[in-house]
Amino acid sequence: MSIQGSDDQPQSSSQTATKAYGSTRNIPACPGEDVQSNSPHGALPVPPIDKIHVDSHGRLHRGLSARQVQMIAIAGTIGTGLFLGTGRSLAQGGPASMLICYGIVAFVVYVTLLLLGEMATQYPVAGSFNAYATRFFSPSYGFALSWNYWFNDAVSVASDLTAAQLVLQYWTTWNPWVISVVFWVFLVLINATHVKAYGELEYWLSSLKVATILVFIIVGILVNVGVNSSHTYIGTHNWHIPGAPFVGGFGGFARVFVTASFAYGGTESLGITAGETKNPSRNMPRVVKFVFWRILLFYILSILLIGLNVPWDYPNLSNKETTTSPFTIVFQEAGSTVAASFMNTVILTSVLSAGNHALFAGTRVLYGLSVVEPRAQAPRIFSRTTASGVPLPALLATSSISALCFGSSFIGSGVLWGWLQNIVGVSNQIAWLSIGIASWRFRKAWIKQGRPLHEIKFRAAWTWPWGPPFVVLTVTALIIIQGWSSIFPIFSAVDFVSFYVEIPVMVVMYIVWMLTRRPTCVPTSSGNACDSIDEGTPLIRTQGQRIRWWHSDMVDVRTVDLFKDEYEEEAVEGADDEERERRLRSRAGLAWRLYYWII
């Protein structure tokens, strides 16, 4: 298996210094040397991606079909957060808090997904919202965001492997770490072969999860009306037991927001798959429009039935050592231990699917960081890919963080999974916040530069103009209030850190990148004046020059190039659309519509 670099040819330092975000001015990179930069202001850092099915070293391959992309979106959100995290949410906040919080977060995420869909359809590149934050808001912020999201995906893999240990405790407590090792090896091997292997595995695992949820909804309704082991009508009884429906007061209510954010995390990775999706200008809007409604339907119905059928104080629902899936409990209440074991097996496969999804997304984010021009934001070794288009070094680096899951042997699987869940949930919220900021700036640039709205390939018209500020303000509020229980009534340092540690880390990374990219001050006839390179491209300092210690690299929406990197459809992709339209207009059009909706 050969591995080659992604750069087609080396560039000189002077070329590199002026390529990325610059202007068209002459910039003295070295004494006596003038360099002309022709790159547009705010050019998007686009990793090299081949557009056809040929082996191309150093490039990702567009090998994911619309069928696989839709299931990838479902796989990223219907996983441990729904099957296992709902048990923790129910124990901490009660049935009413869980239903309200998951509903609020669902609406926020849906609007966020629409905003991302606009940008991902217009500029379908690997890196997704990280690249959009860099292009439309601030390169320094984009740098901090990208590394934060990579860490989010890497920790998600560790979280899923820890969740596998919790699920396994339903059958045995013997060395649960063994299953983590087996799963880790399997995930790495799948992701090291080809993007098609990843996509096909996700498709079938997701299909199993969707079918299981549909069965659960039916079983949950039957259990509630009396088809259970005690042959009694449950109704809303569990909403009126002591402590319910709101457990833990405002602190318990606020705490559910982070577990809900953990559960819905993954929808934003739709943009990451855009770089490897066939015909993204057609497929991405279809995915955005239809997938989330299905997920919303599954979540809200499932959560309602869980709150009705499972009491919040159920033994071992969520504690230091273990967390029990409410899905398994409902099947137990139906009176079938065999069905409960089958449900637990499905949950174990969902853990595998969620880990597979997180490992794929984290690998692509790290790859995207390594190929940013002119100055990579990660070591160039992570840009190397195999002949089948797999960024193997980035894959190994991302999977290595999974060693965190083995800490469960010392502090307990339940408490470790809770901490990791908090970290990932907050990271998801930061991603949604950043999508809102990038969309706000993207729309402002579009209007400022006078481009007609009909040129936007996919536009969620009903979210104009309130969508971006709504997402920014709402998510900011969630991030602030959800750690309430870690401060009142008793301050818990460990819980507080798990809720807020990522915020100062992002601030530090933002400042460090800003300082390393600050411009120089060049003496002029009238005195010392700083050069005006907006993005702070570092120049070689000569005698008499000073370094400006602070500057703003916020992108100017009036000059950012809105034409650069727009996706252009190919003839073969147009033929696929024509075939689809022909089928929909045929006599069997209704059947084809049903087929496309399901598949």
Side-chain angles (χ1 to χ4, degrees), residues 4-40:
Q4 299 185 9
S6 65
D7 296 330
D8 294 331
Q9 57 184 356
Q11 298 178 343
S12 66
S13 59
S14 60
Q15 289 173 321
T16 300
T18 58
K19 182 179 177 183
Y21 313 106
S23 60
T24 56
R25 298 182 303 274
N26 290 333
I27 303 170
C30 296
E33 179 182 358
D34 285 345
V35 179
Q36 183 74 19
S37 173
N38 296 318
S39 295

Side-chain angles (χ1 to χ4, degrees), residues 464-545:
W464 286 65
W466 62 270
F470 167 78
V471 170
V472 171
L473 295 177
T474 305
V475 176
T476 300
L478 293 182
I479 293 175
I480 293 174
I481 69 174
Q482 65 195 5
W484 179 274
S485 61
S486 66
I487 303 175
F488 302 100
I490 300 175
F491 178 74
S492 172
V494 175
D495 288 342
F496 182 83
V497 169
S498 69
F499 279 116
Y500 297 111
V501 66
E502 291 183 77
I503 297 175
V505 170
M506 276 201 65
V507 171
V508 170
M509 295 186 72
Y510 174 86
I511 294 175
V512 168
W513 188 256
M514 178 84 75
L515 293 178
T516 59
R517 302 288 289 172
R518 64 189 184 276
T520 56
C521 288
V522 184
T524 64
S525 57
S526 58
N528 289 334
C530 292
D531 67 78
S532 57
I533 303 174
D534 294 328
E535 314 306 335
T537 303
L539 305 180
I540 298 177
R541 187 164 52 128
T542 60
Q543 186 174 4
Q545 293 180 339

Side-chain angles (χ1 to χ4, degrees), residues 148-171:
N148 175 77
Y149 196 69
W150 171 78
F151 183 69
N152 166 42
D153 287 321
V155 171
S156 292
V157 180
S159 173
D160 293 327
L161 293 179
T162 304
Q165 299 179 21
L166 295 172
V167 175
L168 192 66
Q169 290 177 12
Y170 179 79
W171 295 295

Side-chain angles (χ1 to χ4, degrees), residues 38 59 67 124 129 177 180 278 299 310 335 402 444 550 577:
N38 296 318
R59 301 167 186 262
R67 167 182 65 91
F129 59 89
W177 59 269
S180 295
K278 300 175 182 178
Y299 264 87
V310 181
S402 303
K444 187 175 181 179
W550 185 254
D577 289 331

Side-chain angles (χ1 to χ4, degrees), residues 363-448:
T363 299
R364 268 55 185 181
V365 170
L366 186 55
Y367 170 85
L369 282 168
S370 68
V371 296
V372 173
E373 294 292 351
R375 184 176 179 182
Q377 297 177 346
R380 287 289 188 184
I381 189 175
F382 297 127
S383 67
R384 298 181 180 273
T385 66
T386 64
S388 57
V390 176
L392 190 58
L395 170 64
L396 295 177
T398 304
S399 62
S400 66
I401 306 298
S402 303
L404 286 172
C405 69
F406 299 112
S408 61
S409 302
F410 304 98
I411 61 178
S413 299
V415 67
L416 175 62
W417 190 67
W419 292 347
L420 295 177
Q421 191 180 36
N422 289 345
I423 292 173
V424 174
V426 175
S427 184
N428 290 334
Q429 292 169 341
I430 292 175
W432 303 337
L433 173 67
S434 303
I435 292 171
I437 294 174
S439 175
W440 204 339
R441 302 284 293 176
F442 162 70
R443 290 182 174 186
K444 187 175 181 179
W446 201 275
I447 295 174
K448 284 280 187 182

Side-chain angles (χ1 to χ4, degrees), residues 98-176:
M98 183 172 65
L99 184 62
I100 294 172
C101 290
Y102 276 71
I104 292 174
V105 175
F107 180 72
V108 173
V109 173
Y110 177 58
V111 176
T112 304
L113 190 61
L114 290 173
L115 304 184
L116 177 60
E118 286 184 347
M119 296 183 289
T121 304
Q122 202 75 18
Y123 311 104
V125 297
S128 184
F129 59 89
N130 305 305
Y132 305 142
T134 297
R135 178 171 186 172
F136 297 111
F137 181 51
S138 163
S140 297
Y141 182 83
F143 167 78
L145 175 65
S146 297
W147 275 106
N148 175 77
Y149 196 69
W150 171 78
F151 183 69
N152 166 42
D153 287 321
V155 171
S156 292
V157 180
S159 173
D160 293 327
L161 293 179
T162 304
Q165 299 179 21
L166 295 172
V167 175
L168 192 66
Q169 290 177 12
Y170 179 79
W171 295 295
T172 179
T173 58
W174 176 83
N175 292 334

